[in-house]
Amino acid sequence: MSAADLATVRPRTAPMTTPRRLPPDRPFGYQKHLDGTVTITHRCSPITRVREARHVSRLLSELAQDHPQHVLARWAVDKA
């Protein structure tokens, strides 16, 4: 191939695809236990455990009404 031929050759490109959206970051989670307590986790590591029934019911009602990540972050900071 001559230099002129190389100039007209188009480079291979990857096929056009729709970019994938990454799942939203959800670092906080919680686990309800049979004894009525709730463990709040951060990246699957336990942070704190809510033991009193009135606190557990308040936490669960807040989770149902507000953004769960904000609620869990607030409870993790308040209880730590």
Side-chain angles (χ1 to χ4, degrees):
M1 288 184 126
S2 69
D5 292 334
L6 288 175
T8 60
V9 174
R10 283 193 254 167
R12 285 189 176 210
T13 58
M16 294 293 289
T17 59
T18 305
R20 289 189 202 174
R21 287 188 171 188
L22 293 175
D25 192 23
R26 294 187 183 113
F28 289 98
Y30 68 98
Q31 299 171 341
K32 292 189 264 184
H33 301 281
L34 293 176
D35 63 357
T37 62
V38 174
T39 300
I40 298 175
T41 61
H42 184 263
R43 305 229 185 262
C44 299
S45 297
I47 296 176
T48 189
R49 187 170 231 172
V50 182
R51 299 179 194 276
E52 288 187 44
R54 64 187 174 104
H55 292 299
V56 169
S57 64
R58 194 170 114 216
L59 170 62
L60 296 177
S61 69
E62 285 184 28
L63 286 169
Q65 296 171 3
D66 202 0
H67 191 281
Q69 291 296 302
H70 296 169
V71 172
L72 292 170
R74 186 173 62 248
W75 277 75
V77 171
D78 290 345
K79 303 298 178 190

